[in-house]
Amino acid sequence: MVDRANKPSAIAPSPGLPQPQVDLSEDNSKVTATLPTGESVEVLLHGATVISWKSGGVENLWLSTKAVLDGSKPVRGGIPVVFPVFGGPPKDHATSSLPSHGFARNSRWEYLGKSTSESGALSKGGDDSVKLDFGLYTASLSEDVKKLWPYDFGLVYSVTLGRGGLQTMINVRNEGKESFEFQTLLHSYFRVKDIGKVAIKGLTGVTYVDKVLDAKTTTESNPAIRINGETDRVYQSIPQDTTTITEGDEPRFDIVRDNLEDTTIWNPWKEKAAGMGDFEPKDGYTKLICVEVGSVNGWQKLEGGETFEGGQIIRSLL
């Protein structure tokens, strides 16, 4: 592991104060953490997928009512983890035989444990945050998947719940001697009240690839991006760290990237949502916006023993 600035550090909780509560479900499929102040997060071991994050009694993430949570397919909603390829894999690449978005979101991860902290990006000076760690390793994969991507790797995904927000960080380590290339992305589905009143700010002047318009490359000129149809854009090499979602001109979420340079904005809109069997309700596209931080413009390369870490801090601004 490498040490990185501002990474939440585990320390002994202060005695006598209310502590975060962490529970593993009876069927060993889900970890739930709750702070004494009421904030909560739920993470499926399938895909290490965050499926709920509540603050102030409000659910911040969109989850399809028909999302499949039994491990048979990726989860529609929440925050799926994309690795080692984003979207459909390119031809003549080491990932070319993998499914779209890779295997991490459709693999069972190991729950590595919890730690509490009164330091770090989300803490406010007390025992008011809890970090949950999840692991996925080469040995965890089926033989079929290993054949499709035959590299030795280790992933540790850390989900930190704080009074100030939610932090999700992915640590990728090359455990073998042969180098490999990868992409990674956190496919966050944010819940909104009305997509017609939503704007995304902080991307002015950034180059993006518009997948709806045959991968046309464009420079963003709008200070407030509005969603009025199917949207699938990959914003590349963003200079500023923070992207803001507003609703009715009021700030709703700040998404702060950490060592990830790209962001995808996605909304399926009516026609595409209608064609997804696990997308319900069918008008759910009016209640969500995906703002997905990642490293997907080109490839990250790790030599044997090297490590990469990146992620996001999300702040609910209600």
Side-chain angles (χ1 to χ4, degrees):
M1 296 291 181
V2 295
D3 291 327
R4 299 192 61 246
N6 298 323
K7 186 174 181 179
S9 56
I11 64 171
S14 302
L17 296 177
Q19 299 300 315
Q21 180 72 35
V22 177
D23 297 299
L24 182 63
S25 63
E26 290 186 3
D27 62 358
N28 201 35
S29 68
K30 182 177 68 174
V31 179
T32 301
T34 306
L35 298 184
T37 45
E39 295 84 356
S40 66
V41 66
E42 298 178 18
V43 187
L44 284 185
L45 293 186
H46 175 61
T49 309
V50 178
I51 57 169
S52 174
W53 166 42
K54 294 178 181 178
S55 56
V58 176
E59 176 60 65
N60 295 303
L61 301 177
W62 185 88
L63 182 70
S64 168
T65 58
K66 282 197 174 180
V68 179
L69 307 180
D70 64 4
S72 62
K73 66 180 297 184
V75 176
R76 176 71 64 191
I79 310 179
V81 178
V82 172
F83 176 90
V85 62
F86 170 66
K91 295 179 180 179
D92 303 319
H93 190 266
T95 59
S96 61
S97 297
L98 292 174
S100 179
H101 288 339
F103 54 75
R105 65 180 184 151
N106 208 29
S107 298
R108 182 177 173 86
W109 292 57
E110 178 185 353
Y111 174 49
L112 302 177
K114 66 174 182 176
S115 58
T116 57
S117 177
E118 55 187 47
S119 63
L122 294 179
S123 292
K124 296 183 177 180
D127 298 317
D128 55 4
S129 71
V130 60
K131 180 163 72 77
L132 311 174
D133 287 330
F134 303 87
L136 181 68
Y137 310 96
T138 304
S140 310
L141 303 180
S142 69
E143 292 302 318
D144 289 341
V145 174
K146 290 178 188 177
K147 291 176 183 177
L148 299 180
W149 202 69
Y151 298 99
D152 291 326
F153 73 94
L155 302 181
V156 174
Y157 184 53
S158 300
V159 177
T160 303
L161 173 68
R163 290 170 58 192
L166 187 74
Q167 183 179 42
T168 59
M169 300 290 296
I170 187 165
N171 181 294
V172 184
R173 181 176 174 84
N174 185 341
E175 301 282 6
K177 296 181 180 179
E178 185 179 358
S179 66
F180 62 74
E181 294 181 324
F182 69 93
Q183 298 171 326
T184 188
L185 175 136
L186 303 173
H187 198 308
S188 307
Y189 289 72
F190 293 99
R191 178 185 288 270
V192 296
K193 294 179 180 178
D194 181 358
I195 191 64
K197 297 180 180 179
V198 167
I200 300 98
K201 299 181 178 181
L203 297 171
T204 308
V206 177
T207 299
Y208 67 90
V209 175
D210 195 327
K211 293 187 175 183
V212 176
L213 298 178
D214 298 321
K216 178 183 177 182
T217 299
T218 307
T219 299
E220 185 58 71
S221 59
N222 295 316
I225 302 163
R226 303 283 180 177
I227 308 299
N228 50 28
E230 182 186 351
T231 302
D232 192 354
R233 300 176 178 180
V234 182
Y235 289 81
Q236 304 174 340
S237 303
I238 305 167
Q240 58 269 39
D241 292 334
T242 303
T243 302
T244 299
I245 299 172
T246 65
E247 188 165 15
D249 295 325
E250 294 293 327
R252 179 62 184 91
F253 298 102
D254 275 346
I255 303 108
V256 183
R257 291 174 294 102
D258 184 350
N259 203 37
L260 297 174
E261 293 189 341
D262 310 316
T263 293
T264 294
I265 294 178
W266 183 81
N267 184 293
W269 215 247
K270 184 176 182 180
E271 292 78 12
K272 183 160 283 189
M276 297 178 183
D278 61 352
F279 192 102
E280 287 289 349
K282 290 304 179 186
D283 66 352
Y285 69 91
T286 66
K287 305 293 185 182
L288 74 86
I289 182 63
C290 289
V291 178
E292 314 159 18
V293 304
S295 179
V296 297
N297 179 26
W299 300 87
Q300 293 283 349
K301 184 176 182 178
L302 290 181
E303 301 292 341
E306 289 186 338
T307 299
F308 170 90
E309 187 173 55
Q312 65 181 352
I313 293 175
I314 312 166
R315 301 188 188 278
S316 175
L317 303 175
L318 287 179

